[in-house]
Amino acid sequence: MQDTSDIADRHDAVCVIGAGGSGLAAIKNLREQGFSVDCYERETSVGGAWNWRHDRSPVYASTHLISSRPLTEFPDFPMPDDWPDYPHHSQMLGYLERYARHFGLGDSIWFGTEVVAVTPVGDGRWDVTTRSTGGGAERIQRYAAVVVANGHNWSPKKLPVDSSAYRGQVIHASAYKDPAQLRGRKVLVVGGGNTGCDIAVEAAQQATTVWHSTRRGYWYAPKYVLGRPADQVNDKMLQLRLPLRLREWIYRRTLRLTVGDVTRFGLPRPDHRPYESHPVVNSQLVYYLGHGRITPLPDVTGLDGSTVELADGRRVEPDLIITATGYLPRFEFLAPELLDIDEDGKPDLHLHAFARKHPTLAVIGLLQPDAGLFPLAHWQSVAVARWLRLRLSDPERAAAVQQKESARPLRSWTRLRVVPSSRHWFEVSHTSYLRVIEDLLKRMEGVA
């Protein structure tokens, strides 16, 4: 029998892990449902990925939103009207700090405290082991539920090529912070996502030579279409429920008129349809390609000495390689089977949020939407909070809801037809996803 003498029982309280945007939304919405909340944050302040002071933050000096302000703000805490369409990362951090102050969330957050282990102990309850990031003894507390919001853009995905014999400098995009790192260098940027394109553009303004290596062709969308942020135009089409094929035709036509044929700059033609990969939103990449400041290259196949070998047989000799190869989700404090994590590291969660075998374990913010994350994280946490409350107030209805939800088709809430890569594990259409969350909330209220 387990010795529980050193375990502090928090009874019906909920543990939240992480005080970034998703964690803050979870604290607020859980408290609104009457739960006591203990949030553990390994850093000394809120903000998560948007707090450049945090050692796990991926932001660099010029980072801005790539989703526009109205589609990124929390629905119950709008950003200021006089802010730009695409706010700077410092504004985003200030926004999250004001959000925490406005809703009085600081009282529920234990800063400088990391979660070491989360262990199920039966009857839906969890033992959470924590310790100070400065060292010291571990502490175990028992909770009625655990909500994980530790982010998924902090554990770098490695370049799938051995770099041990390379004599130049190789860093992941997460270690890039300032244009001074590029000045006067010969830079190779590897990766065709938004971060890779943004860093390539920045390098074009600072470095002596810039190469940009991508595995495949992409659809490069401008930040503005018809004078409006591109994601707002896409949002309008989704609200009108235009058929996918019609939206694809409009997308292709729009890019033909605004960006043109990118193969004339040496970029490969996309090997997939529009909307089958996460949108790459960048108005400057083509500009610098057209001015000869960026040279497009195919995939990297080898690194040796001072030379980088490419898929087409060419070789280049950069002195700095920046790998914008993305990130993988990590849940070091959870046994993989609790989230049904496969051998590649991908968790299998209902709505990318609810653990399938553990109804009191959930993850907030594990999404890759075609708009901003915060609105989705808000409604995810509303759904989780109401679900946990329903389990306590009406177990019979909770069981009925769980049975109905288990039969909900996967295609209704996640994108199935996507480029097969870890970048698209959690890809969703924000409007479709929010409709499903709305339906879930109605089921819990007994309306549907």
Side-chain angles (χ1 to χ4, degrees):
M1 187 173 179
Q2 182 185 11
D3 180 13
T4 60
S5 59
D6 292 331
I7 299 175
D9 194 336
R10 294 286 287 119
H11 303 289
D12 289 338
V14 178
C15 170
V16 173
I17 302 173
S22 296
L24 294 175
I27 300 169
K28 183 190 83 71
N29 287 300
L30 284 163
R31 293 200 334 188
E32 287 183 354
Q33 286 297 312
F35 289 103
S36 295
V37 178
D38 290 340
C39 174
Y40 297 108
E41 168 55 56
R42 67 187 301 275
E43 303 288 352
T44 56
S45 53
V46 303
W50 288 106
N51 195 327
W52 58 271
R53 302 179 187 91
H54 295 176
D55 60 1
R56 288 181 173 179
S57 172
V59 304
Y60 43 93
S62 63
T63 300
H64 286 72
L65 280 178
I66 60 167
S67 56
S68 66
R69 173 172 50 85
L71 294 180
T72 305
E73 62 194 10
F74 288 112
D76 54 355
F77 194 74
M79 295 182 191
D81 290 338
D82 60 354
W83 274 18
D85 292 329
Y86 299 99
H88 185 255
H89 72 79
S90 59
Q91 293 175 298
M92 294 302 299
L93 174 58
Y95 172 70
L96 292 175
E97 291 172 339
R98 288 194 298 275
Y99 179 91
R101 286 196 301 270
H102 178 78
F103 292 107
L105 307 182
D107 294 342
S108 296
I109 305 173
W110 296 75
F111 291 108
T113 305
E114 63 181 340
V115 173
V116 178
V118 175
T119 309
V121 292
D123 198 26
R125 297 176 65 75
W126 302 85
D127 281 354
V128 177
T129 305
T130 61
R131 69 178 171 219
S132 169
T133 52
E138 294 182 351
R139 182 183 184 191
I140 303 175
Q141 298 192 90
R142 184 160 293 175
Y143 291 93
V146 172
V147 176
V148 180
N150 66 330
H152 63 282
N153 287 323
W154 59 268
S155 179
K157 184 179 178 182
K158 294 181 180 179
L159 185 70
V161 175
D162 181 18
S163 61
S164 59
Y166 180 66
R167 292 198 296 267
Q169 183 183 11
V170 181
I171 64 171
H172 189 268
S174 59
Y176 171 69
K177 299 299 176 184
D178 189 88
Q181 294 171 259
L182 307 169
R183 207 159 292 147
R185 309 287 295 274
K186 295 188 293 182
V187 179
L188 169 63
V189 180
V190 181
N194 284 289
T195 299
C197 291
D198 286 348
I199 295 177
V201 165
E202 202 148 288
Q205 303 169 57
Q206 303 291 335
T208 57
T209 305
V210 183
W211 298 281
H212 187 203
S213 165
T214 58
R215 281 186 299 180
R216 58 172 54 89
Y218 291 94
W219 301 94
Y220 298 97
K223 279 199 164 183
Y224 288 90
V225 175
L226 302 175
R228 302 296 300 175
D231 63 347
Q232 295 179 24
V233 177
N234 181 58
D235 181 61
K236 180 59 67 176
M237 291 194 295
L238 290 170
Q239 287 180 10
L240 295 172
R241 302 199 182 200
L242 297 185
L244 176 60
R245 289 292 178 261
L246 177 56
R247 287 191 288 118
E248 286 181 354
W249 181 87
I250 294 172
Y251 193 100
R252 290 175 188 268
R253 187 71 177 171
T254 301
L255 294 195
R256 189 178 304 164
L257 293 172
T258 56
V259 180
D261 180 8
V262 296
T263 62
R264 63 185 291 265
F265 301 109
L267 292 170
R269 194 178 303 279
D271 59 358
H272 54 278
R273 292 175 176 272
Y275 304 111
E276 290 183 358
S277 68
H278 193 68
V280 178
V281 184
N282 193 299
S283 297
Q284 295 181 290
L285 183 71
V286 171
Y287 174 87
Y288 284 105
L289 285 165
H291 285 72
R293 289 295 297 127
I294 299 174
T295 301
L297 297 177
D299 201 10
V300 172
T301 57
L303 301 175
D304 185 29
S306 61
T307 302
V308 175
E309 301 172 6
L310 304 165
D312 63 357
R314 279 185 288 172
R315 295 170 177 244
V316 294
E317 295 188 359
D319 52 40
L320 171 63
I321 300 175
I322 302 178
T323 61
T325 45
Y327 301 84
L328 291 173
R330 277 178 62 187
F331 307 95
E332 306 154 298
F333 43 80
L334 285 168
E337 60 270 16
L338 297 176
L339 297 180
D340 291 317
I341 295 175
D342 66 17
E343 58 186 12
D344 294 321
K346 178 185 178 182
D348 179 20
L349 306 171
H350 181 59
L351 303 183
H352 295 311
F354 296 90
R356 297 187 182 278
K357 299 172 186 173
H358 299 275
T360 55
L361 175 63
V363 180
I364 301 297
L366 191 62
L367 296 170
Q368 192 81 337
D370 54 359
L373 176 63
F374 293 164
L376 277 68
H378 167 85
W379 288 111
Q380 269 189 328
S381 58
V382 168
V384 168
R386 292 187 186 177
W387 162 249
L388 294 174
R389 177 54 62 197
L390 184 65
R391 289 188 78 253
L392 295 175
S393 64
D394 193 342
E396 288 187 9
R397 189 197 295 174
V401 169
Q402 187 172 13
Q403 185 175 12
K404 285 184 178 180
E405 280 299 307
S406 65
R408 188 185 291 278
L410 198 64
R411 65 179 179 275
S412 68
W413 54 269
T414 194
R415 284 185 172 165
L416 297 178
R417 189 170 178 175
V418 292
V419 172
S421 72
S422 59
R423 183 185 180 210
H424 301 101
W425 281 352
F426 314 112
E427 195 76 18
V428 298
S429 162
H430 72 286
T431 51
S432 297
Y433 190 86
L434 290 174
R435 287 185 190 118
V436 170
I437 292 291
E438 181 183 22
D439 184 59
L440 171 58
L441 293 172
K442 288 179 178 178
R443 281 183 176 178
M444 287 192 283
E445 294 168 2
V447 176

